[in-house]
């Protein structure tokens, strides 16, 4: 067991189509927000961990070279990670290990993306096998559509029930986003609007899909000694888990999804959690698609396999429910891919330190943050708590 580690502050940009700033200015905005929120001078950081989608997303390779000044990385060690959608949780866990191992006392972790300056779906398609799969999978919606259909078929869930649960999630999250000052898409929706929206890839419709967002998130991860020295509210990292699987989509079971199951179990074991639905107060589940969010509830042990739709329709995972999920609106409403997973960690930390503002879950003490990436192949989970 390593040293205790805390998240002592974060800064998020406003997300959306940020044509008002260039890419380095967007990253700097998150770092400036972090400094304003914490009052900490970043000259004391021991190193920087940075992450994005593959750099060609915005047409600039090796963006950590380009951003050295705004990342405050001059004269410091820097590590960059690219694991697609899971990048944010990958860099948060990397920062955790730097500190818990004793290699550093204070690490600056930053994730960013400026998706509206590139072609995100083309970039994501380029990640797939170039000889066979890329010709019919066509970006993220193609993968998640097939996963959703396999899940509902495996457990014999009626199509109407899956649609109703997905619609409930879409309406709830887009409403919740109004209380998140950094959210991209905020929309009051009716069931009819969600159910009749145009199909993206069957059965996924427009309001089941996350947007392409510009945005960045910065976070400070500190040792116990440094956290006490600053005397700030801290979200203690109690458990981490990360698991990958085969590159070829189709070589592994995406319903009884081992990378998601094992990542959550690793984090639960480390945090001493036996019954996640009872012991977690809030969860920020990576939910780029409503259908996939339902599957995560089952993989993470929030409910049994095949039952997520029933629990969702009963309101168990709504903001007023037994285990509120994504009160920030989640990835469904805001998705700057390289930052999205770090946003989930930042939101979880805000919840357990009672700093989430209008979307605060009362008395939240323990929270789960999650992100998924690669070719539907990596899952990472972090558990944070107000108690060391």
């Amino acid at each position: 067991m390593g040293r205790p580690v805390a998240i002592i502050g974060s800064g998020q940009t406003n997300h959306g189509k940020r044509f008002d700033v260039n890419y380095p200015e967007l990253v700097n905005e998150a770092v400036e927000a972090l400094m304003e929120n914490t009052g900490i001078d970043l000259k004391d950081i021991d190193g920087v961990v940075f992450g994005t989608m593959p750099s060609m997303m915005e047409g600039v390779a090796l963006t950590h070279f380009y951003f050295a000044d705004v990342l405050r990385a001059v004269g410091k060690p820097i590590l960059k990670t690219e694991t697609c959608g899971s990048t944010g949780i990958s860099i948060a866990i990397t920062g955790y290990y730097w500190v818990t191992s004793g290699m550093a006392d204070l690490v600056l972790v930053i994730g960013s993306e400026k998706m509206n300056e590139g072609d995100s779906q083309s970039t994501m398609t380029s990640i797939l096998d170039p000889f066979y799969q890329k010709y019919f999978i066509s970006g993220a919606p193609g993968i998640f559509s097939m996963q959703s259909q396999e899940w509902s078929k495996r457990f014999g869930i009626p199509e109407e029930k899956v649609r109703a649960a997905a619609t409930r999630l879409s309406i709830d999250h887009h409403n919740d986003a109004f209380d998140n000052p950094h959210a991209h898409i905020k929309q009051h929706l009716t069931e009819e609007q969600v159910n009749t929206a145009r199909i993206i890839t069957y059965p996924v419709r427009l309001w089941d899909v996350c947007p392409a967002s510009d945005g960045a998130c910065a976070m400070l991860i500190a040792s116990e000694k440094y956290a006490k020295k600053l005397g700030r509210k801290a979200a203690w990292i109690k458990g981490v888990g990360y698991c990958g699987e085969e590159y070829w989509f189709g070589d592994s079971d995406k319903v009884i999804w081992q990378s998601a199951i094992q990542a959550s179990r690793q984090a639960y074991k480390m945090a001493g959690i036996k019954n996640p639905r009872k012991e977690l107060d809030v969860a920020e589940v990576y939910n780029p698609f409503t259908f996939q969010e339902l599957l995560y509830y089952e993989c993470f042990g929030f409910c049994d396999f095949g039952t997520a739709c029933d629990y969702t329709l009963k309101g168990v995972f709504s903001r007023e429910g037994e285990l509120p999920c994504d009160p920030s609106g989640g990835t469904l409403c805001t998705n700057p891919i390289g930052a999205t997973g770090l946003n989930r960690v930042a939101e979880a930390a805000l919840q357990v330190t009672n700093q989430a503002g209008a979307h605060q879950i009362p008395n939240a003490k323990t929270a789960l943050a999650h992100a998924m990436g690669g070719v539907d192949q990596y899952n990472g989970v972090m558990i944070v708590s107000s108690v060391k």
Side-chain angles (χ1 to χ4, degrees), residues 48-55 62-64 78-82:
V48 179
V49 181
F50 176 59
T52 66
M53 266 291 280
S55 297
L62 303 172
T63 43
H64 54 309
I78 182 170
L79 177 73
K80 187 182 184 191
T81 294
E82 297 179 346

Side-chain angles (χ1 to χ4, degrees), residues 66-374:
Y66 183 28
F67 299 158
D69 294 282
V70 296
L71 292 174
R72 276 55 169 183
V74 176
K76 306 286 184 182
I78 182 170
L79 177 73
K80 187 182 184 191
T81 294
E82 297 179 346
T83 59
C84 296
S86 59
T87 293
I89 197 83
S90 298
I91 57 179
I93 291 176
T94 301
Y96 164 80
Y97 278 116
W98 275 23
V99 175
T100 196
S101 66
M103 292 178 63
D105 280 312
L106 186 64
V107 176
L108 175 61
V109 181
I110 305 171
S112 69
E113 211 72 67
K114 206 163 194 306
M115 296 178 68
N116 288 291
E117 289 195 359
D119 187 332
S120 58
Q121 293 308 316
S122 293
T123 303
M124 281 186 263
T125 300
S126 74
I127 295 164
L128 301 166
D129 150 63
F131 302 105
Y132 180 64
Q133 291 197 326
K134 85 177 215 179
Y135 296 103
F136 69 89
I137 287 183
S138 66
I143 287 180
F144 299 135
S145 171
M146 287 189 282
Q147 187 175 26
S148 303
Q149 293 185 70
E150 177 62 23
W151 164 67
S152 57
K153 181 180 178 183
R154 179 87 60 92
F155 296 109
I157 309 169
E159 183 175 341
E160 297 77 13
K161 183 185 283 187
V162 178
R163 179 65 265 167
T167 298
R168 172 71 186 266
L169 292 179
S170 179
I171 292 172
D172 284 354
H173 292 326
H174 285 98
N175 269 332
D176 289 340
F178 279 98
D179 286 335
N180 178 358
H182 305 297
H184 179 183
I185 301 295
K186 307 176 183 187
Q187 188 78 28
H188 294 304
L189 294 168
T190 65
E191 288 186 9
E192 182 179 6
Q193 285 175 305
V194 178
N195 293 340
T196 61
R198 66 184 169 91
I199 289 176
I200 303 301
T201 48
Y202 184 83
V204 176
R205 293 179 180 271
L206 178 65
W207 293 109
D208 297 311
V209 183
C210 63
S213 309
D214 303 333
C217 180
M219 178 179 293
L220 280 172
I221 296 181
S223 65
E224 181 180 17
K225 179 184 74 174
Y226 209 96
K228 285 185 174 178
K229 176 182 171 183
L230 293 171
R232 289 184 48 78
K233 287 183 177 179
W236 296 95
I237 299 174
K238 304 295 288 185
V240 296
Y242 203 100
C243 191
E245 53 196 32
E246 295 87 347
Y247 170 72
W248 275 75
F249 184 77
D251 276 2
S252 54
D253 188 336
K254 300 299 184 187
V255 176
I256 310 296
W257 195 4
Q258 288 302 319
S259 65
I261 293 168
Q262 296 305 324
S264 63
R265 287 181 179 175
Q266 290 169 20
Y268 294 156
K269 182 179 181 181
M270 195 171 163
I273 290 175
K274 308 287 187 188
N275 185 339
R277 196 171 81 232
K278 301 294 182 186
E279 296 177 62
L280 294 170
D281 298 309
V282 59
E284 281 285 334
V285 175
Y286 186 84
N287 60 345
F289 293 77
T290 54
F291 291 84
Q292 199 181 42
E293 183 177 350
L294 294 163
L295 176 57
Y296 282 128
Y297 292 165
E298 299 175 0
C299 291
F300 293 165
F302 296 173
C303 57
D304 292 335
F305 277 96
T307 66
C309 292
D310 297 313
Y311 280 90
T312 298
L313 292 170
K314 291 175 184 174
V316 171
F317 305 119
S318 68
R319 198 153 144 188
E320 297 76 26
E322 182 182 357
L323 175 54
C325 291
D326 295 292
S328 65
T331 308
L332 188 66
C333 301
T334 306
N335 188 32
I337 296 181
T340 302
L342 196 61
N343 284 341
R344 305 278 69 73
V345 178
E347 288 291 340
L350 289 172
Q351 288 288 347
V352 301
T353 54
N354 196 33
Q355 298 179 93
H359 60 292
Q360 177 69 47
I361 301 301
N363 303 313
K365 292 182 172 57
T366 305
L368 175 148
H370 159 249
M372 178 278 305

